[in-house]
Amino acid sequence: MSDYRQSGYRSRGRDRERAEPWIPSTKLGKMVSEGKIASLEEIFQQGWKIKEPQIVKALLPDVVSEVVDVSIVQKMSDAGRVTSFRAIVAVGNRDGWFGVAEGKGKVRAAAVERATSLALLRIIPVNRGCGSPECADKSNHSLRCRTIGKTGSVKVEILPAPRGVGLVAGPSVKKLLELAGVKDAYTRTFGSTSTPSSLASAVYDAFLKSQSLNV
């Protein structure tokens, strides 16, 4: 059951979280809460691990989420058939930050909530720029270089494009690139691209791999 929609953290659980004061439980969280760290860039430069989703929300107040897919999972137990939900959620601020994760829960809302929190913990900077030889504009409208991501049988190739080309991609990939803040890019997909979860994970893998490229 595919459910590709945007969320502004409007569920009841998230409303409660937004209303209640955040009490950090990690050293990094306390540093962010006290204003000693003012950006996610600093956290990544230092190589620190984010263990609280509130850290990302505090440093990226404009972060939003996309519910990529929600599916029903059924298992047999001694008590009979047990039904749960599996959600895939992507997060980003449409300006260079992106994350994807899977969450499970007994009800749909709990699965989406779990996936959103995990996606925030997995957020990474997108290696933006412009690696297109046809473009003189080297601002962060595209990617610095070609990158390929893979999950299972699905492979996604993302290539830099000149400013004004837009996103040459299918609807699902286009939504993810927009969430990451990429405005111009060529893309190619291979494999079972009708599987939203694998497609989202492959895009995340492509962005992750681009971090290690020397460009």
Side-chain angles (χ1 to χ4, degrees), residues 134 161-168 183-186:
E134 305 169 17
R163 177 174 285 282
V165 167
L167 296 172
V168 183
K183 296 179 175 62
D184 302 284
Y186 299 114

Side-chain angles (χ1 to χ4, degrees), residues 23 31 35-36 44 46 71 88 98 113 196 204:
I23 302 176
M31 292 173 69
K36 295 179 180 178
F44 277 81
Q46 296 295 334
S71 56
I88 304 294
F98 184 76
E113 188 94 21
Y204 179 83

Side-chain angles (χ1 to χ4, degrees), residues 86-139:
R86 173 178 174 266
I88 304 294
V89 172
V91 299
N93 72 334
R94 304 190 188 281
D95 192 24
W97 291 93
F98 184 76
V100 171
E102 170 190 320
K104 296 179 181 179
K106 292 182 179 180
V107 296
R108 184 185 185 281
V112 171
E113 188 94 21
R114 176 65 173 163
T116 302
S117 294
L118 292 175
L120 289 169
L121 297 180
R122 298 187 70 211
I123 202 165
I124 57 172
V126 179
N127 196 8
R128 295 185 303 164
C130 185
S132 172
E134 305 169 17
C135 186
D137 183 351
K138 299 305 177 184
S139 63

Side-chain angles (χ1 to χ4, degrees), residues 17-189:
E17 181 181 305
R18 188 181 267 176
E20 293 176 1
W22 170 38
I23 302 176
S25 59
T26 64
K27 181 179 178 180
L28 179 59
K30 291 175 183 176
M31 292 173 69
V32 171
S33 179
E34 293 168 1
K36 295 179 180 178
I37 295 177
S39 70
L40 276 182
E41 287 86 353
E42 184 179 351
I43 292 176
F44 277 81
Q45 287 169 2
Q46 296 295 334
W48 291 326
K49 185 176 178 61
I50 299 173
K51 297 182 179 180
E52 297 178 87
Q54 293 89 344
I55 291 175
V56 178
K57 294 180 185 180
L59 298 177
L60 288 182
D62 54 349
V63 69
V64 295
S65 66
E66 292 275 357
V67 180
V68 176
D69 185 59
V70 179
S71 56
I72 297 175
V73 179
Q74 293 185 330
K75 293 183 179 179
M76 292 300 297
S77 68
D78 294 338
R81 182 172 295 175
V82 178
T83 300
S84 61
F85 292 83
R86 173 178 174 266
I88 304 294
V89 172
V91 299
N93 72 334
R94 304 190 188 281
D95 192 24
W97 291 93
F98 184 76
V100 171
E102 170 190 320
K104 296 179 181 179
K106 292 182 179 180
V107 296
R108 184 185 185 281
V112 171
E113 188 94 21
R114 176 65 173 163
T116 302
S117 294
L118 292 175
L120 289 169
L121 297 180
R122 298 187 70 211
I123 202 165
I124 57 172
V126 179
N127 196 8
R128 295 185 303 164
C130 185
S132 172
E134 305 169 17
C135 186
D137 183 351
K138 299 305 177 184
S139 63
N140 293 331
H141 66 94
S142 188
L143 297 183
R144 293 180 182 273
C145 59
R146 167 180 173 267
T147 182
I148 298 176
K150 185 177 180 181
T151 299
S153 65
V154 176
K155 185 168 70 173
V156 175
E157 180 181 16
I158 310 173
L159 301 96
R163 177 174 285 282
V165 167
L167 296 172
V168 183
S172 296
V173 173
K174 186 175 181 179
K175 280 180 177 287
L176 296 169
L177 296 181
E178 288 174 342
L179 194 62
V182 178
K183 296 179 175 62
D184 302 284
Y186 299 114
T187 66
R188 292 195 298 174
T189 57

